[in-house]
Amino acid sequence: MPSWRTCRRRRWGEIIEGELVVSPRPASPHARAATKLGGWLDGPFDEGSNGPGGWIFLFEPELRFPALGDALVPDVTAWRRERMPRMHDVPYFSLAPDWACEVVSDVTQAWDRGPKMRVYARAGVEWLWFIDPLGEGLEIHRLQDGQWRLHEVHLGSGTVNAVPFDAVPLNMGKLWLW
């Protein structure tokens, strides 16, 4: 029988709008895009190195929203330090992040852009990014009056100032190198 550790590497589960959703672990383009994005965000926005700081970032944290009954695992998330001044030693977070990023794939796209997006809105996540490593695209959505509004779309390998991290340019081409 496979150990928990072996199974953990192959799949993970989320409870989205009352349904258990089991997804495969990310393929290499997905993992690479999330890693490169995290590298870009860490110095200027988390550590305040050559940037404004003021954020705490995590890869694949578990978010539980008991009032909603949902348990999500976004690819990358961030909280403004004024809302979460320090990192807590907890197995999951019930404080909704200020920003979440989903790196989409053919397998996860319908859940990410449908039910999961609705849960993020109900939880009050202000910014939601979708990164498509195969389509080389970035979509930025902002929550306004409880509804998602498409804020920006960036395609290709150019350099962009992507809100809410527009203080430091993002070279999107680095996300697609795999």
Side-chain angles (χ1 to χ4, degrees):
M1 178 172 197
S3 72
W4 173 85
R5 228 177 259 276
T6 304
C7 293
R8 170 83 170 95
R9 288 189 196 132
R10 292 185 187 155
R11 301 195 178 273
W12 81 86
E14 299 174 286
I15 299 172
I16 307 172
E17 295 184 330
E19 188 169 340
L20 175 62
V21 178
V22 179
S23 302
R25 297 297 300 161
S28 57
H30 177 120
R32 180 71 171 165
T35 300
K36 295 304 279 184
L37 177 68
W40 169 69
L41 292 166
D42 184 56
F45 299 102
D46 192 314
E47 296 177 6
S49 212
N50 297 316
W55 293 83
I56 293 177
F57 291 88
L58 288 176
F59 281 96
E60 298 182 353
E62 184 172 334
L63 305 176
R64 290 189 192 173
F65 306 120
L68 305 174
D70 297 290
L72 306 181
V73 181
D75 292 306
V76 188
T77 55
W79 289 262
R80 288 186 172 93
R81 287 192 187 268
E82 60 261 15
R83 289 188 58 239
M84 188 165 71
R86 63 181 182 79
M87 179 59 56
H88 301 279
D89 182 6
V90 295
Y92 62 86
F93 295 87
S94 55
L95 176 65
D98 296 289
W99 171 85
C101 178
E102 295 290 352
V103 181
V104 298
S105 70
D106 291 343
V107 174
T108 64
Q109 186 159 230
W111 284 101
D112 290 342
R113 293 180 180 277
K116 217 167 169 179
M117 196 173 185
R118 291 191 297 268
V119 172
Y120 288 136
R122 287 192 298 270
V125 175
E126 182 181 2
W127 294 97
L128 179 58
W129 284 16
F130 292 111
I131 291 179
D132 181 351
L134 299 179
E136 297 185 357
L138 165 64
E139 278 182 28
I140 300 172
H141 297 263
R142 185 171 193 183
L143 189 64
Q144 295 176 317
D145 300 319
Q147 299 294 316
W148 288 113
R149 306 282 185 238
L150 180 60
H151 187 76
E152 299 173 359
V153 175
H154 301 284
L155 300 173
S157 296
T159 299
V160 300
N161 293 82
V163 292
F165 307 111
D166 50 333
V168 177
L170 167 62
N171 177 347
M172 291 192 5
K174 290 185 177 185
L175 301 177
W176 322 139
L177 294 176
W178 49 275

